[in-house]
Amino acid sequence: MEKKIYKVLNTIRGDIGIEKIKDILISCCVIGYSQSKIPDNDNYIKRILRASDTKEEFKNVLGLIEKENEQLKDVFSCLNLESNIQNDVLYKLLSNINEIEIEQNQWKDVFEIVINQINESNLRFTSESSTPVYLNKLGIDLLEPKEGNFYDGTCGEGGTLQEANSYAVSKGMDLKLYGQEINSRAGAICKIRLFLNDVINSDIKLGNTLTNPMFTEENQLMKFDRILMNPPLGYCWKEDSSRIENDKYNRFVFGKPPVSNGDWLFISHIIKSLNEDGKAVVTTTSGALFRGAKEEEIRKNILNIDCVEAVISLAGVLTSTAIPINLLVINMKKDESMKNKILFINAEDMYEKNKNQKILTEQHINKIVDIYRNKKEIEEISAILDIKNLENANLLPNKNVLKTEFTNAEIGKIKFNKNKLEELRKCKTLNDIGKFYRGINVIGSKVEECETGEYKIINLSDVKNGEIDVDSLTRYNLKDNARVESYSVKEGDILISNRGVTTKIGIVPKCDKKILISQNFIGFRLKGKDNSNYIKRYLESPLGEYLISNKQSGTATAALNIKDLEDIPVMLVKEDEQREIIEAYENEKKEIELKIEELNKKLMDIKLNLYKDMEVLDTFEVL
């Protein structure tokens, strides 16, 4: 069937872009599905093909179908059926469809094939409303919605609702479906999807879930048994701020996140929409799980009611973005064994590449679900932690699942001793032995590059092989230097780059007082007599690199902040031993480098002799 449909799509691909007739193809599925209600010798498609005006009759037939099915009321008016498709192209499309022998119960499969084909051709559609099938299947398998009611407040084109319905049907149960969608077109496609799958027990409404939740009872939010939502990631709620600030349903009592990212608004809405024994799965960004300030406060407030049961991190498995995502499992009635505990599953390595897309296979889904259902702790993959032991209410699995395998650029793949890593908790931290400071924003309006500038600023490109050439630094003028001291470096300060896959670490050499660091660095100044070079070498060691990488977090780019670095443990020997160790290392290193230099010179000499013997040396001159 998939090959046949693909062939049909190919016949009109040159006449009009496939993405432009998505809604016409979907409507064809409705027409084909509804044909069984009239005699075979006068089916809808044949009626349209006989008409003198194919497009006009196409609309007439859809009008008849809408009148016969209350479920489809006002659906076709939301679709883009006024596209510039010509009569002859529509005629060719319907003729090709008519030639395929499609049974009534197969039209739902044709619909899914059409949706998938077009979404693969044009990811514009998936970014708005389409959740990958495998992600829906994982969420539904985690929730097991067998009976009662099921809700998706950002239901899009209805893939989540349909997956929930299929699960309940497979168990011989009946599930009442509720969905809300802000986009009228996506909501219409959702209704069509449920119609083609013979889902009658559903209620789909249009509106903004955050500002106008449509499912209420006696001026209270309706409560649901199961909820699965894939809200828009990083939703900006600035335009909705007045209605959210004055929410009459008191949904956002845990706090309100920054207007640039509304993930916790959706999560709060979900928590308030669950029954006392309800369960939900919601997609969220990594940033929402570790950022400080308002979002940290929200996380702490939600953890206080002990409803977070599991957090599952996934690679970039959404079709609309490559960033990692996380599934937050909310359970309002956790088992006694999980009280005040959370299961963290780091599944970022569980995916298969399909073209340029990372997908979850059935094997991956089954493994994640098995870990969740049986609360398994597997080395490198999953861990159960007490809520009280979470640092800053950080819910990132890669922060809370200890990984012992690591790849170092010089040594290669290594495995750390887990017991030794645990012992690091007894060590002093960087915060114990020094203090951190931030860099100045060199791209701000108050900083201007100038050859005769008063200040020099250390940028990322100025640190090479751990060395800083202060004489070649770029000069700048500062329009407002009131806080210049907070960015100023001193001899012996350690600079740590705060962005990028590779962390640069350098030590400030002897210099004047007017050198600053840029915003791409975090400065670290020792409080006591510890040796700067010793600390630098420690941070550059496989252990230091591993500890820093575990602190790095972010969406598109790995990032570090001062709060992360403060907690890094340091294995220290006595101060005089630090100096002796570094001096011994530097002396041996220097000797080896001299020997390497001599060997390289000797190698060059024998090469020149070779060229002389080959009688080619006199053809060039070494400058």
Side-chain angles (χ1 to χ4, degrees):
M1 180 63 70
E2 190 168 358
K3 289 180 180 178
K4 290 178 180 179
I5 298 303
Y6 184 77
K7 188 176 180 180
V8 169
L9 296 178
N10 250 358
T11 61
I12 59 167
R13 196 178 293 273
D15 298 305
I16 187 171
I18 294 296
E19 72 282 355
K20 293 181 181 178
I21 58 164
K22 176 179 182 180
D23 296 357
I24 289 177
L25 290 166
I26 289 171
S27 300
C28 286
C29 293
V30 178
I31 292 171
Y33 174 81
S34 304
Q35 286 186 153
S36 62
K37 297 182 179 179
I38 60 175
D40 287 343
N41 60 356
D42 190 28
N43 68 41
Y44 283 142
I45 291 182
K46 288 180 180 178
R47 181 186 300 185
I48 297 169
L49 292 173
R50 287 198 305 266
S52 57
D53 189 330
T54 308
K55 287 177 69 174
E56 188 62 31
E57 189 61 23
F58 184 81
K59 294 176 189 175
N60 291 337
V61 167
L62 289 177
L64 289 173
I65 294 172
E66 187 174 322
K67 286 181 181 178
E68 293 169 357
N69 299 276
E70 179 66 23
Q71 192 176 351
L72 297 178
K73 185 179 179 182
D74 299 326
V75 160
F76 300 110
S77 63
C78 297
L79 300 183
N80 180 21
L81 301 179
E82 298 295 333
S83 66
N84 56 353
I85 187 171
Q86 301 299 314
N87 266 306
D88 60 332
V89 177
L90 181 58
Y91 184 90
K92 180 164 61 171
L93 172 64
L94 291 169
S95 296
N96 288 327
I97 290 175
N98 193 49
E99 291 176 4
I100 304 174
E101 295 182 2
I102 303 174
E103 301 294 331
Q104 186 193 20
N105 63 355
Q106 291 180 309
W107 282 104
K108 63 178 183 292
D109 302 320
V110 175
F111 171 90
E112 298 297 339
I113 293 168
V114 166
I115 292 286
N116 292 334
Q117 288 279 356
I118 294 176
N119 284 347
E120 283 183 13
S121 300
N122 191 342
L123 293 180
R124 224 164 16 112
F125 291 98
T126 61
S127 66
E128 291 180 359
S129 51
S130 184
T131 302
V133 173
Y134 45 82
L135 194 56
N136 276 330
K137 188 174 190 317
L138 172 59
I140 294 301
D141 284 358
L142 292 169
L143 289 174
E144 302 178 273
K146 299 174 185 176
E147 56 184 337
N149 59 25
F150 180 92
Y151 168 62
D152 181 357
T154 54
C155 66
E157 295 177 349
T160 303
L161 293 172
Q162 173 50 32
E163 187 67 39
N165 177 71
S166 295
Y167 185 91
V169 169
S170 70
K171 303 297 181 183
M173 310 293 278
D174 185 38
L175 196 64
K176 172 72 174 179
L177 304 179
Y178 294 86
Q180 183 166 339
E181 172 56 36
I182 194 171
N183 184 300
S184 60
R185 180 172 169 275
I189 295 173
C190 172
K191 290 181 180 181
I192 289 174
R193 182 179 241 134
L194 298 178
F195 172 75
L196 294 175
N197 282 275
D198 296 320
V199 179
I200 301 173
N201 203 10
S202 65
D203 190 356
I204 310 300
K205 296 185 183 297
L206 293 176
N208 186 324
T209 296
L210 293 182
T211 59
N212 187 24
M214 303 297 290
F215 296 106
T216 59
E217 296 173 330
E218 298 179 357
N219 210 30
Q220 298 290 324
L221 285 179
M222 187 174 174
K223 302 294 184 179
F224 299 97
D225 300 307
R226 295 289 184 269
I227 299 174
L228 176 55
M229 283 175 59
N230 179 24
L233 301 179
Y235 178 78
C236 179
W237 55 281
K238 186 175 182 179
E239 293 182 4
D240 305 324
S241 58
S242 60
R243 299 186 69 176
I244 287 173
E245 292 288 351
N246 300 292
D247 178 56
K248 66 179 181 180
Y249 301 106
N250 203 27
R251 288 173 293 169
F252 311 120
V253 291
F254 306 111
K256 299 175 186 69
V259 294
S260 59
N261 195 313
D263 287 25
W264 286 106
L265 296 179
F266 286 102
I267 297 169
S268 299
H269 167 76
I270 287 170
I271 292 173
K272 290 294 185 177
S273 299
L274 282 169
N275 282 325
E276 59 183 16
D277 56 353
K279 188 183 290 188
V281 171
V282 56
T283 308
T284 186
T285 58
S286 294
L289 300 183
F290 74 82
R291 281 190 295 259
K294 293 180 180 179
E295 288 172 292
E296 180 180 333
E297 181 183 340
I298 294 170
R299 292 195 302 272
K300 287 179 177 178
N301 289 336
I302 288 177
L303 290 178
N304 282 337
I305 66 171
D306 193 23
C307 66
V308 179
E309 183 178 34
V311 187
I312 304 165
S313 63
L314 301 169
V317 295
L318 290 178
T319 51
S320 57
T321 177
I323 66 171
I325 60 167
N326 303 270
L327 299 184
L328 205 64
V329 182
I330 306 292
N331 190 344
M332 303 307 292
K333 193 176 181 180
K334 292 163 69 172
D335 291 341
E336 284 298 321
S337 61
M338 288 299 294
K339 292 288 186 183
N340 296 308
K341 295 178 182 178
I342 297 176
L343 168 66
F344 292 94
I345 304 175
N346 188 342
E348 291 181 356
D349 294 331
M350 296 186 200
Y351 65 84
E352 185 176 285
K353 272 287 188 77
N354 181 15
K355 298 178 182 177
N356 293 323
Q357 177 63 41
K358 294 177 180 177
I359 66 171
L360 296 174
T361 64
E362 188 171 350
Q363 183 180 4
H364 296 137
I365 293 171
N366 291 340
K367 184 172 183 178
I368 294 169
V369 172
D370 177 56
I371 294 171
Y372 167 73
R373 287 181 184 169
N374 296 296
K375 304 299 182 287
K376 291 183 177 179
E377 291 191 273
I378 302 174
E379 188 173 341
E380 308 280 330
I381 296 176
S382 60
I384 296 174
L385 271 68
D386 286 334
I387 291 173
K388 63 183 179 183
N389 292 332
L390 301 179
E391 294 179 19
N392 308 313
N394 190 318
L395 296 177
L396 272 180
N398 63 14
K399 162 75 176 175
N400 294 297
V401 177
L402 182 65
K403 275 187 170 285
T404 56
E405 290 188 2
F406 186 71
T407 301
N408 176 267
E410 291 183 329
I411 299 175
K413 196 169 184 178
I414 59 179
K415 187 176 178 67
F416 287 100
N417 183 313
K418 191 174 180 179
N419 292 331
K420 290 291 183 181
L421 291 178
E422 293 290 344
E423 289 178 11
L424 289 175
R425 294 182 180 181
K426 302 174 184 177
C427 295
K428 287 184 176 181
T429 65
L430 288 176
N431 192 48
D432 293 327
I433 64 171
K435 63 178 181 178
F436 291 90
Y437 58 96
R438 304 178 189 278
I440 189 171
N441 185 359
V442 296
I443 58 175
S445 59
K446 296 181 179 180
V447 181
E448 182 182 25
E449 185 176 334
C450 176
E451 288 185 6
T452 59
E454 184 181 3
Y455 295 93
K456 291 181 177 181
I457 297 180
I458 302 173
N459 290 295
L460 275 178
S461 58
D462 298 316
V463 178
K464 297 174 183 176
N465 299 320
E467 302 293 331
I468 304 169
D469 183 2
V470 294
D471 294 328
S472 62
L473 297 177
T474 304
R475 289 185 173 275
Y476 295 83
N477 275 329
L478 306 185
K479 294 181 182 179
D480 178 9
N481 60 2
R483 297 184 58 216
V484 70
E485 285 298 321
S486 62
Y487 311 121
S488 299
V489 303
K490 290 183 179 179
E491 181 183 355
D493 284 1
I494 301 170
L495 307 186
I496 304 168
S497 62
N498 57 16
R499 287 193 176 275
V501 177
T502 304
T503 302
K504 283 189 172 185
I505 303 176
I507 293 182
V508 178
K510 190 174 182 179
C511 58
D512 61 39
K513 295 181 179 179
K514 293 192 174 182
I515 296 181
L516 318 176
I517 58 169
S518 75
Q519 76 278 13
N520 293 315
F521 285 106
I522 294 172
F524 180 64
R525 186 169 298 155
L526 291 167
K527 297 175 184 176
K529 296 181 180 179
D530 288 300
N531 187 286
S532 293
N533 272 295
Y534 183 91
I535 303 301
K536 175 180 178 287
R537 294 296 180 185
Y538 173 83
L539 294 176
E540 290 175 332
S541 72
L543 175 59
E545 188 184 353
Y546 166 81
L547 294 171
I548 290 174
S549 70
N550 280 349
K551 294 290 185 177
Q552 285 177 318
S553 54
T555 51
T557 307
L560 283 170
N561 58 54
I562 288 176
K563 203 169 186 180
D564 290 328
L565 294 174
E566 286 177 340
D567 296 331
I568 288 181
V570 190
M571 297 179 69
L572 293 171
V573 296
K574 292 180 180 179
E575 293 159 5
D576 55 345
E577 289 182 41
Q578 292 178 25
R579 179 177 49 79
E580 291 172 6
I581 290 170
I582 292 300
E583 284 181 359
Y585 168 78
E586 293 294 345
N587 289 335
E588 287 189 51
K589 178 171 170 279
K590 199 168 188 178
E591 287 180 18
I592 292 171
E593 286 173 345
L594 286 171
K595 289 178 181 177
I596 291 173
E597 188 177 341
E598 290 174 4
L599 289 171
N600 282 332
K601 186 177 182 302
K602 188 174 181 180
L603 179 61
M604 179 58 69
D605 289 340
I606 65 172
K607 279 186 178 180
L608 291 175
N609 285 331
L610 169 67
Y611 301 147
K612 181 179 179 181
D613 294 340
M614 295 170 67
E615 297 184 355
V616 298
L617 185 59
D618 58 355
T619 65
F620 63 87
E621 179 183 358
V622 179
L623 300 177

